[in-house]
Amino acid sequence: FQISGGVETVLYSFSGVGDGCNPMAGLFIDSSGILYGTTQQGGSGYGTVFELDPSSSTLITLYYFGGGSDGAYPLSSLVMDDFGFLYGTTQQGGGFGCGGNGCGTVYTIDPTGPSEQVLYNFAGGPTDGATPYGALAFDAAFNLYGTTYDGGTSGNGIVFELLGGGTTELVLHSFDGYPDGTNPVGGLVLNNDGHFYGTTTAGGTSHRGTVFYVVP
């Protein structure tokens, strides 16, 4: 939707049949004004990635998640690199861990294809994250950064880096709950100081959540 002068205009209404349903994340807008987003469900049942031209309210479903190795139930908004490729996360799918549902993925989509490629499958457990919810962020070298809600040494989530936008993962921080926080849902933002900032939903000195930064 868009709002002008206090009046809302609905650009598109999801039907759940073919086009997706239950969009949870924010939108990404490219330099030409095209909107990109995800739906948590719908499509083949496991969510979609879509493109919307607000000038014509024309929606194109770029990808239907299959729920297996390609991922399932995206909750994060998308980011785009300088070459026009989109990047996001799914909270499930990928491998066979996390109760057989998969621990989530980092994926990329070429909107001109369109085609999807899984860059990383989370494994969960004490050495990796699981269940990523938040959006990704780039640094100047196109390394990807993000958070997972679960996994890590205490099971409270991690901050991770994918080198060069690729498949090599580094766990930058595992949340312990006190005093650093627990279970981040939101994504990260990069400041001019080179630090990535984010939030946790709980933990901290009062067990009500934290604002944190990570130095890569």
XYZ file of all heavy atoms in Angstrom, residues 6 29 32 39 43 62 66 68 74 81 85 89 95 98 115 119 123 125-126 135 146 161 171 173 179-180 207:
178
model
N -2.792 11.300 3.694
C -3.624 10.588 4.658
C -4.542 9.553 4.043
O -5.318 8.914 4.742
N 13.380 -1.460 -2.168
C 13.088 -0.723 -3.383
C 14.392 -0.443 -4.124
O 15.377 0.006 -3.521
C 12.318 0.582 -3.067
C 11.882 1.277 -4.346
C 13.124 1.495 -2.169
C 10.856 2.380 -4.113
N 15.166 2.053 -9.591
C 14.118 2.394 -10.553
C 12.730 2.417 -9.933
O 11.734 2.625 -10.628
C 14.143 1.417 -11.731
O 13.877 0.095 -11.303
N 6.912 -13.446 0.982
C 5.757 -13.878 1.770
C 6.168 -15.106 2.561
O 6.903 -15.956 2.068
C 4.533 -14.208 0.902
O 4.817 -15.353 0.068
C 4.167 -13.023 0.019
N 2.196 -19.666 -2.315
C 2.964 -20.237 -3.408
C 2.803 -21.743 -3.422
O 1.693 -22.259 -3.588
N 8.743 -14.215 -8.286
C 10.054 -14.594 -8.807
C 10.442 -16.008 -8.416
O 11.153 -16.687 -9.160
C 11.118 -13.617 -8.295
C 10.965 -12.153 -8.713
C 12.030 -11.303 -8.026
C 11.065 -12.016 -10.223
N 10.273 -24.481 -2.127
C 9.766 -25.846 -2.133
C 9.762 -26.517 -0.781
O 9.198 -27.596 -0.628
N 12.312 -27.810 0.848
C 13.389 -28.767 1.052
C 14.742 -28.088 1.059
O 14.993 -27.184 1.852
N 10.385 -17.793 4.385
C 11.223 -16.610 4.560
C 10.527 -15.559 5.420
O 9.360 -15.246 5.209
C 11.421 -16.110 3.126
C 10.195 -16.572 2.390
C 9.850 -17.901 3.012
N 22.654 -6.488 -4.200
C 24.028 -6.059 -4.424
C 24.116 -5.151 -5.651
O 23.102 -4.855 -6.299
C 24.972 -7.260 -4.536
C 24.736 -8.130 -5.770
O 24.052 -7.685 -6.718
O 25.256 -9.260 -5.793
N 21.518 -8.689 -7.836
C 21.113 -9.949 -7.224
C 20.511 -9.679 -5.840
O 21.030 -8.851 -5.074
C 22.296 -10.910 -7.095
C 22.760 -11.482 -8.393
C 23.690 -10.808 -9.166
C 22.257 -12.684 -8.855
C 24.124 -11.332 -10.373
C 22.672 -13.214 -10.056
C 23.608 -12.528 -10.828
N 17.071 -14.704 3.721
C 17.171 -15.901 4.547
C 15.816 -16.586 4.642
O 14.774 -15.949 4.494
C 17.651 -15.571 5.976
O 16.677 -14.723 6.614
C 18.994 -14.875 5.958
N 19.113 -28.165 5.096
C 19.563 -29.509 5.432
C 18.479 -30.308 6.123
O 17.279 -30.077 5.931
N 17.605 -29.761 12.904
C 16.508 -29.024 13.553
C 15.184 -29.763 13.452
O 14.180 -29.228 12.974
C 16.408 -27.620 12.968
S 17.879 -26.606 13.219
N 16.192 -17.197 -10.884
C 16.676 -18.467 -10.374
C 17.177 -18.259 -8.960
O 17.640 -17.171 -8.617
C 17.792 -19.024 -11.262
O 18.890 -18.135 -11.303
N 23.205 -20.254 -0.726
C 24.603 -19.979 -0.437
C 25.083 -20.708 0.802
O 26.248 -21.096 0.885
C 24.809 -18.474 -0.249
C 24.507 -17.590 -1.453
C 24.653 -16.121 -1.060
C 25.398 -17.928 -2.622
N 23.395 -25.337 10.276
C 23.410 -26.676 10.856
C 22.896 -26.707 12.283
O 22.609 -27.781 12.821
C 24.832 -27.247 10.822
N 23.061 -26.340 16.478
C 24.007 -26.882 17.444
C 24.941 -25.818 17.990
O 24.791 -24.626 17.701
N 25.949 -26.219 18.751
C 26.811 -25.244 19.433
C 27.786 -24.508 18.518
O 28.328 -23.474 18.909
C 27.570 -26.101 20.450
C 27.566 -27.478 19.862
C 26.257 -27.605 19.152
N 16.997 -9.522 8.303
C 17.584 -9.210 7.007
C 19.104 -9.230 7.084
O 19.706 -9.058 8.150
C 17.112 -7.838 6.529
N 24.608 -11.323 9.257
C 23.246 -11.517 9.719
C 23.206 -12.165 11.090
O 24.245 -12.375 11.735
N 28.973 -14.153 9.569
C 29.485 -13.501 8.364
C 29.654 -14.561 7.284
O 30.157 -15.659 7.550
C 30.831 -12.840 8.642
C 31.504 -12.247 7.414
C 32.893 -11.700 7.700
O 33.356 -11.826 8.860
O 33.513 -11.156 6.771
N 31.313 -17.603 12.488
C 30.470 -17.224 13.622
C 31.207 -16.128 14.384
O 32.244 -16.371 14.991
C 30.178 -18.422 14.535
C 29.387 -17.970 15.758
C 29.406 -19.493 13.770
N 29.789 -14.121 16.827
C 29.392 -14.055 18.230
C 28.264 -15.040 18.497
O 27.343 -15.174 17.679
C 28.920 -12.652 18.605
C 28.548 -12.515 20.046
N 29.489 -12.476 21.054
C 27.340 -12.424 20.657
C 28.881 -12.367 22.219
N 27.579 -12.326 22.012
N 25.481 -11.001 29.873
C 24.720 -9.743 29.736
C 24.460 -9.321 28.300
O 23.996 -8.215 28.062
C 25.661 -8.741 30.414
C 27.035 -9.233 30.021
C 26.927 -10.746 29.995
N 24.792 -10.174 27.341
C 24.838 -9.729 25.944
C 23.509 -9.845 25.209
O 23.355 -9.287 24.120
C 25.913 -10.495 25.171
C 25.699 -11.997 25.198
O 24.971 -12.479 26.081
O 26.261 -12.688 24.330
N 17.004 -8.602 31.445
C 16.305 -9.697 30.758
C 15.154 -9.188 29.885
O 14.134 -9.859 29.727
C 15.783 -10.727 31.766
C 16.847 -11.231 32.693
N 17.880 -12.054 32.284
C 17.059 -10.986 34.019
C 18.670 -12.325 33.312
N 18.202 -11.677 34.377
